[in-house]
Amino acid sequence: MAKKRTFAAKLAHEIGTEGKHLCPNCNIEIKRVKLILNKKTEPGKWAPQYGFKNLCKCNEDELYNS
């Protein structure tokens, strides 16, 4: 069974920067998101195409509006 953590332990974990990558431009944590795009296989058919992108405030509009 998992060990229960206190609220203070959870908060300390969230505030810590160990293992997090920060954007050099906007100084916000870079998150890795999974994108699912349409890929045409044959005329009239499609299949999902999966890809991962890094997301921060700098490129948020570009990824969400494309």
Side-chain angles (χ1 to χ4, degrees):
M1 185 168 181
K3 182 170 74 171
K4 293 187 179 184
R5 295 190 305 174
T6 63
F7 176 74
K10 291 178 184 178
L11 186 62
H13 178 73
E14 187 65 32
I15 291 174
T17 59
E18 184 178 323
K20 295 182 181 179
H21 300 283
L22 298 178
C23 176
N25 296 332
C26 60
N27 204 25
I28 301 283
E29 180 185 1
I30 297 175
K31 297 178 183 177
R32 191 161 172 91
V33 294
K34 185 175 189 178
L35 298 177
I36 303 172
L37 304 171
N38 293 339
K39 180 178 110 178
K40 289 191 177 185
T41 56
E42 296 177 12
K45 294 185 179 183
W46 66 274
Q49 178 181 9
Y50 302 102
F52 289 93
K53 293 280 185 173
N54 293 330
L55 177 71
C56 69
K57 288 290 183 187
C58 300
N59 63 355
E60 187 176 62
D61 292 334
E62 179 184 321
L63 286 177
Y64 286 147
N65 294 328
S66 61

